[in-house]
Amino acid sequence: MINKNDTITPLQSSLLIVQSQVGVGILSLPYSVHAIAKQDAWLSTFLAGFIVNGFIWLIILLAKRFPSQSLFQYTPQLFGKWVGNSLSLMYIIYFILVGSLILTLYLNVIYKWVFDETPIWATLLLMVLISIYLAKEPLRVIARFHGFVTVLILGLIGMVAYSYITIDIRYILPVGQSGILNIFKGSKEAAISFLGYELLLVVFPCILNGRKSALKAATYANLFVTLLYGFVVFTSLIVFSPIEIELVPEPILYMLKAFSSRVVDRIDLLLLSIWMVCVTTSYVTYIYLGGKGIQTLFSLKKQSTAVIIAAFLTYWIPLFLQGEVKIAAFSKYVSNISYIFTIGIPVLLLLISLVFHRKSKEQSL
Amino acid sequence: MKSRKKWSQHLYKTPQDRPISATSSLSDNVDYLQRSCFYTDDLITRNLPYNNNKAMILYLVSLSDVEKIQKAIVEPLLLLKNCSVEEAVPVNFKKTNNLVEAEFALNAGQCLLVSEGSETIYIIDTYIPVKRAIEEPGNEQVIRGSHEGFVEHMQTNLHMIRKRINHPNFTVRQFIVGRLTNTKISVLYINKLAKDELIEEIERRIRSISSDSIQTPGFIEEFIEDTPFSPFPQVLNTERPDRVAANLLDGKAAILMEGSPTVLIAPATFFSLYQSPDDYNTRSLVGSFFRLIRLASFIIAILVPAFYISLISFHYEVIPIDMIFSVKSGLTNVPFPPLIEAAFMQITLELLKEAGIRLPRPIAPTIGIVGGLVIGNAVVQANLVSNIMIVVVAITAISSFVVPSNEMSTVLRILGFPFMIAAATFGFIGIVFALMLLLMHLCKLESFGSPYFAPFAPINWKDIKDTIIRVPRWKMNTRPKDAHPSIEKNEYYSREWKNNDKQK
């Protein structure tokens, strides 16, 4: 059961979702979507946001049937002990994989832009240890932190807006040139950056008045993220010409690197600092989710032990995963399985619970 | 639990010990009382026959008012014949036949009257407090507003708070803690406004104090605070009655201790350490400006040295091109890495500050000369520290002193060190991670069930009105939520007259 002490308000849950969604992907989002949808990448981004909202709706529909239990608690009820627990285990593995993907991409950018000589294990350890410090806390503490650092996203928007001095709107014209199919394909690419909303599967019972407010909160959060991503992609598309953007994997950083002010040169480093906070928050969310799963599955008493195990598991993959090709393959793999976990299994669970009229009894457990 | 009980029972006597009843023999009782005080030399015993009965008074001359004893006990009893003690003695008294209670009363400055053939001992209030005059506290001065400060006498302190809050709901609860010191402490709150759970929690924590001695409020603070190893003070320390009253009116509780002018206020939040009574005596625009300056001081004190270190050791490219030459020219002759430079200057500064406190007043100006001239100038000329580093450290020091709370200002300077180390090892990334760690810690802290970093984590837009800015009083319609006060509204529509004006 959920500790009564550990509830978060709808606003907090919104910000929690925002911070989990906005993360490592935002830097390369314009590049990767542009690779498929070309000059209509911004349409793809908005479309992705729209589709993701549908996913969120389905997840909440499922969660509402078990309002006081997390995914890890109700799967054994739906399927029995063995199937249910192995489903939980799969989710734990998924959360850990996403966690290590975040770490991998983070390291990749950091080594490209800031350090190239610091040992990998040290940079990685710094990130993991600091995240454990937060993730071992109750959800309300995590929500407080995520909520506070959302202010930084405003700074990020401001910095991106700085580049509006050198835009050319003709770069995106004519709208719709890449065709519907490519726009849809592009949105599949963009959807990976929206990941993070699946935390609702686990934290739904902690949301105060979750039955009524969760959908609204999650929708607002997703709307905000969609607008933010749309803005970022749109700006990159009109700042860089179609040929330029194919050469720059992190367009936002490049466009800020070009500017210098009288007070600070290299605004991109400041942007990178904000981005690091966003990455940390997403990573914290995933090791929290993984840890929560481990705690429930193995009935551990302490959340901190479970979180440390989860974080430790995520630590190894980035250490051995070097080189652009391997990273791209890993990223592709995780993005493919993410569809299974964010929409496939929840829909299956929803159908089963609807067909067999399985619902949590309020007093059970 | 078991061992703890044993420990407290067998070490010292306490007033709660099993009562020992007095006998009807005068000499036996007096003998017991004298023996229980180990015939201490400031115990005065005097024969005082009244109503043709043998009797004695006992008091500690060091704590009791001899004149009062003379006027209120000795004279009436000798002069008024055929009159009971109740009728004769004009001051407060209590009757008991418990020798243990009498013994502790004696040690609290009361006078005992023991008579032959009676088991009743009169405990007569003759305690004389020694107190200094009320002055403005030296560490919390304000420009406008009340200049009163607490003193070492609890009743005087209570008086100063009570005269600011004249309401029957104002409640004082007294406790006695410390088995050797038997220190009186009081918990103050406004009933029905302060949340019951908060008061219960504070009382529960105070009751669990099981210690020999409580010498300063710092002891109480360390016994009752939530996270003892956090650098941040989780209880607000103040010597100003107006600050206490203001916090009580926000639904918080205050803890007073006999013998100390420092009052603890719980729960404290991060931003309550940044509020000063001065803010409310200036115009709201000015008050808001001061608040923002103080907030900036927090960021400057923690970040500026770290930022500078990371700039010159990792991120030269962030410095604008015009400035880079002047920075570089200052650095060329300095042989040390920037971290050593900064640490050296920071430690020198701490030494100067500490020496400034300890130095006797007549020779204090020496410190100014040594600090200002010798260290400031000579250090640069000797190429030990670069010019810009001196500027950085000076700005840091000044901004750390801006905080109205002395504990917080020390915390700021201490926190600067980990940030400098992080900057020297990981550059900007180190600073970002250190900042995140600090923020996580602040989000984690809770003081008596209230989030420490409220209203920012958790975010509460309404309560920002009295944190980083100060809106006019008539805009502060509701109390800040961090202490969960039971009554939210504190102001209705005090500027209604303006509407009335318009209607005319």
Side-chain angles (χ1 to χ4, degrees):
Chain A
M1 279 310 266
I2 292 305
N3 183 355
K4 217 187 156 214
N5 221 337
D6 201 12
T7 53
I8 56 176
T9 63
L11 174 67
Q12 280 185 315
S13 69
S14 272
L15 300 178
L16 191 70
I17 296 170
V18 168
Q19 278 299 332
S20 310
Q21 286 190 297
V22 178
V24 78
I26 189 166
L27 288 186
S28 54
L29 180 68
Y31 169 79
S32 55
V33 184
H34 178 268
I36 293 165
K38 299 296 169 204
Q39 295 320 107
D40 290 321
W42 60 286
L43 285 175
S44 297
T45 315
F46 283 115
L47 187 66
F50 186 70
I51 295 170
V52 161
N53 224 42
F55 293 0
I56 289 175
W57 182 68
L58 283 169
I59 287 178
I60 286 179
L61 218 56
L62 169 68
K64 267 187 184 169
R65 298 187 68 82
F66 303 93
S68 58
Q69 283 167 294
S70 75
L71 175 90
F72 303 115
Q73 287 161 330
Y74 59 69
T75 42
Q77 275 191 12
L78 271 180
F79 292 105
K81 205 173 156 202
W82 284 107
V83 184
N85 281 346
S86 44
L87 208 62
S88 292
L89 189 67
M90 276 160 69
Y91 263 98
I92 293 167
I93 293 172
Y94 164 70
F95 289 140
I96 286 170
L97 280 179
V98 179
S100 19
L101 178 66
I102 292 173
L103 282 184
T104 316
L105 297 176
Y106 155 79
L107 269 186
N108 198 20
V109 174
I110 289 293
Y111 273 83
K112 241 190 264 172
W113 283 83
V114 198
F115 297 139
D116 29 23
E117 284 167 24
T118 321
I120 291 181
W121 63 266
T123 321
L124 207 55
L125 200 64
L126 195 67
M127 172 87 160
V128 171
L129 286 183
I130 284 171
S131 304
I132 290 175
Y133 183 69
L134 182 61
K136 71 183 173 59
E137 292 301 309
L139 188 67
R140 66 172 194 283
V141 174
I142 299 176
R144 273 180 214 159
F145 180 78
H146 283 35
F148 182 74
V149 296
T150 308
V151 180
L152 292 178
I153 291 185
L154 300 181
L156 190 143
I157 294 173
M159 285 185 203
V160 174
Y162 196 78
S163 58
Y164 268 76
I165 352 177
T166 57
I167 53 159
D168 192 340
I169 197 79
R170 285 171 302 178
Y171 287 152
I172 56 155
L173 297 176
V175 176
Q177 56 182 317
S178 9
I180 302 283
L181 190 68
N182 278 333
I183 291 176
F184 266 97
K185 272 189 186 159
S187 67
K188 180 173 172 278
E189 193 63 39
I192 183 86
S193 292
F194 283 86
L195 279 187
Y197 52 88
E198 68 269 32
L199 87 138
L200 279 170
L201 286 171
V202 180
V203 306
F204 181 84
C206 299
I207 302 173
L208 203 67
N209 250 333
R211 290 187 115 151
K212 283 181 199 144
S213 56
L215 182 62
K216 213 167 147 193
T219 309
Y220 278 132
N222 190 52
L223 182 70
F224 178 77
V225 175
T226 310
L227 290 177
L228 174 71
Y229 281 178
F231 172 69
V232 166
V233 173
F234 186 77
T235 311
S236 313
L237 288 176
I238 56 177
V239 167
F240 292 102
S241 72
I243 301 158
E244 267 177 314
I245 203 167
E246 281 173 21
L247 304 172
V248 283
E250 286 96 23
I252 315 176
L253 288 177
Y254 274 100
M255 70 195 186
L256 288 180
K257 196 179 177 179
F259 301 116
S260 74
S261 69
R262 303 287 318 237
V263 192
V264 226
D265 265 356
R266 296 271 322 254
I267 308 175
D268 56 310
L269 274 183
L270 297 185
L271 185 107
L272 211 58
S273 306
I274 293 181
W275 169 79
M276 270 168 51
V277 179
C278 295
V279 174
T280 313
T281 50
S282 316
Y283 178 66
V284 164
T285 305
Y286 279 101
I287 56 173
Y288 171 80
L289 295 176
K292 216 58 200 163
I294 293 174
Q295 191 192 5
T296 320
L297 190 61
F298 299 102
S299 7
L300 294 180
K301 221 179 234 163
K302 276 175 134 181
Q303 185 192 325
S304 51
T305 329
V307 167
I308 289 169
I309 294 171
F312 182 75
L313 291 174
T314 58
Y315 179 76
W316 294 107
I317 299 177
L319 268 189
F320 297 114
L321 214 65
Q322 304 292 332
E324 293 283 332
V325 183
K326 274 189 199 163
I327 292 174
F330 180 52
S331 168
K332 185 101 193 146
Y333 173 72
V334 173
S335 79
N336 283 338
I337 63 167
S338 77
Y339 289 102
I340 306 174
F341 287 97
T342 55
I343 188 68
I345 297 178
V347 166
L348 187 72
L349 292 178
L350 184 64
L351 286 178
I352 290 170
S353 112
L354 282 173
V355 170
F356 295 101
H357 297 286
R358 291 273 179 87
K359 249 181 163 181
S360 78
K361 289 154 238 141
E362 281 298 85
Q363 298 311 322
S364 70
L365 263 174
Chain B
M1 204 62 207
K2 201 176 167 190
S3 62
R4 183 177 154 173
K5 225 175 193 172
K6 217 172 159 187
W7 184 72
S8 66
Q9 266 176 3
H10 293 281
L11 238 82
Y12 315 107
K13 283 185 197 170
T14 62
Q16 290 82 37
D17 277 358
R18 206 155 45 83
I20 299 171
S21 50
T23 59
S24 55
S25 150
L26 172 65
S27 57
D28 279 3
N29 288 344
V30 172
D31 208 40
Y32 171 85
L33 287 167
Q34 281 183 323
R35 209 171 47 219
S36 77
C37 296
F38 300 98
Y39 300 96
T40 174
D41 285 333
D42 56 348
L43 176 67
I44 305 290
T45 53
R46 177 193 161 151
N47 285 315
L48 185 70
Y50 73 96
N51 289 348
N52 304 319
N53 191 4
K54 273 209 298 184
M56 276 182 114
I57 55 171
L58 295 91
Y59 57 93
L60 287 177
V61 70
S62 43
L63 281 178
S64 300
D65 186 353
V66 180
E67 205 171 313
K68 195 173 178 185
I69 293 174
Q70 198 65 28
K71 282 247 169 66
I73 306 170
V74 180
E75 273 180 28
L77 288 180
L78 287 179
L79 293 176
L80 301 166
K81 303 287 175 197
N82 301 322
C83 190
S84 67
V85 178
E86 281 89 340
E87 285 168 284
V89 174
V91 290
N92 283 339
F93 62 83
K94 203 159 70 165
K95 291 193 279 188
T96 182
N97 58 357
N98 176 4
L99 279 172
V100 178
E101 191 188 341
E103 184 186 333
F104 275 95
L106 185 66
N107 277 293
Q110 317 284 47
C111 177
L112 304 181
L113 175 67
V114 196
S115 33
E116 179 70 53
S118 156
E119 287 168 15
T120 313
I121 297 173
Y122 290 91
I123 301 174
I124 305 163
D125 182 16
T126 55
Y127 173 66
I128 180 166
V130 176
K131 46 188 176 181
R132 64 174 166 110
I134 294 172
E135 287 166 358
E136 172 150 38
N139 51 1
E140 281 176 88
Q141 287 175 339
V142 294
I143 296 174
R144 283 167 63 191
S146 148
H147 294 291
E148 275 184 339
F150 287 128
V151 292
E152 283 77 3
H153 183 228
M154 193 157 76
Q155 295 307 328
T156 313
N157 294 348
L158 281 174
H159 166 90
M160 281 188 272
I161 302 169
R162 238 192 212 286
K163 81 175 174 198
R164 286 180 167 78
I165 307 171
N166 286 318
H167 197 273
N169 279 9
F170 179 85
T171 317
V172 179
R173 291 265 172 273
Q174 288 210 339
F175 298 85
I176 291 178
V177 288
R179 271 180 308 277
L180 265 181
T181 53
N182 282 311
T183 315
K184 268 188 228 146
I185 60 178
S186 317
V187 176
L188 274 57
Y189 57 93
I190 298 177
N191 218 333
K192 298 247 164 68
L193 175 62
K195 207 178 162 207
D196 293 341
E197 283 88 342
L198 172 70
I199 305 303
E200 272 162 31
E201 182 62 27
I202 290 176
E203 290 184 355
R204 190 175 72 89
R205 290 187 192 182
I206 286 176
R207 271 195 213 100
S208 89
I209 294 177
S210 146
S211 159
D212 263 10
S213 62
I214 299 291
Q215 294 164 18
T216 71
F219 281 39
I220 304 175
E221 183 179 342
E222 293 196 342
F223 285 135
I224 64 173
E225 71 191 348
D226 291 67
T227 321
F229 288 110
S230 164
F232 292 98
Q234 294 143 58
V235 179
L236 182 63
N237 280 266
T238 183
E239 291 187 25
R240 300 190 57 89
D242 48 358
R243 215 171 174 187
V244 173
N247 277 292
L248 290 180
L249 289 167
D250 278 346
K252 297 181 182 175
I255 302 167
L256 268 69
M257 186 190 124
E258 182 72 89
S260 167
T262 304
V263 172
L264 309 175
I265 296 169
T269 61
F270 179 81
F271 289 101
S272 66
L273 295 163
Y274 276 85
Q275 295 166 338
S276 157
D278 247 358
D279 303 343
Y280 306 97
N281 290 326
T282 48
R283 305 189 58 74
S284 84
L285 201 67
V286 182
S288 302
F289 177 68
F290 287 148
R291 287 277 170 87
L292 288 174
I293 288 280
R294 279 183 218 140
L295 190 76
S297 83
F298 175 78
I299 297 167
I300 290 172
I302 284 186
L303 284 187
V304 165
F307 192 68
Y308 176 68
I309 289 174
S310 70
L311 278 189
I312 59 177
S313 35
F314 288 98
H315 310 291
Y316 254 113
E317 65 272 25
V318 179
I319 312 174
I321 197 87
D322 305 333
M323 228 184 102
I324 213 159
F325 296 109
S326 63
V327 174
K328 188 74 197 163
S329 69
L331 277 175
T332 39
N333 293 324
V334 179
F336 305 117
L339 177 67
I340 304 290
E341 247 183 290
F344 171 69
M345 277 319 286
Q346 287 279 38
I347 289 170
T348 314
L349 184 91
E350 286 302 299
L351 289 178
L352 280 175
K353 196 209 107 208
E354 200 61 20
I357 300 174
R358 311 287 160 224
L359 270 188
R361 222 160 269 167
I363 50 170
T366 330
I367 268 295
I369 296 167
V370 174
L373 296 179
V374 180
I375 294 182
N377 246 330
V379 135
V380 176
Q381 277 165 14
N383 283 331
L384 288 174
V385 176
S386 69
N387 252 326
I388 293 184
M389 186 56 92
I390 299 267
V391 176
V392 165
V393 170
I395 291 176
T396 313
I398 292 171
S399 40
S400 79
F401 289 119
V402 169
V403 196
S405 150
N406 186 43
E407 297 85 57
M408 195 63 169
S409 112
T410 319
V411 167
L412 284 186
R413 270 173 283 127
I414 293 174
L415 279 181
F417 287 103
F419 274 84
M420 288 192 281
I421 294 170
T425 44
F426 282 95
F428 271 6
I429 295 192
I431 297 181
V432 172
F433 274 121
L435 260 183
M436 275 200 281
L437 202 61
L438 178 72
L439 208 57
M440 285 171 188
H441 182 71
L442 282 171
C443 290
K444 224 181 225 196
L445 280 184
E446 279 175 13
S447 166
F448 294 90
S450 321
Y452 190 65
F453 204 48
F456 283 102
I459 282 187
N460 185 354
W461 294 115
K462 258 183 167 177
D463 283 355
I464 291 178
K465 61 186 186 266
D466 196 15
T467 52
I468 57 169
I469 52 165
R470 180 188 83 81
V471 299
R473 188 67 204 173
W474 45 273
K475 279 277 185 196
M476 292 188 204
N477 290 335
T478 53
R479 297 196 158 80
K481 276 202 200 70
D482 39 66
H484 308 291
S486 313
I487 304 163
E488 216 175 78
K489 265 231 173 323
N490 65 358
E491 192 268 348
Y492 290 89
Y493 197 47
S494 306
R495 279 178 72 85
E496 203 179 40
W497 55 269
K498 195 155 189 186
N499 265 5
N500 295 349
D501 271 2
K502 272 179 202 153
Q503 280 162 11
K504 268 175 210 167

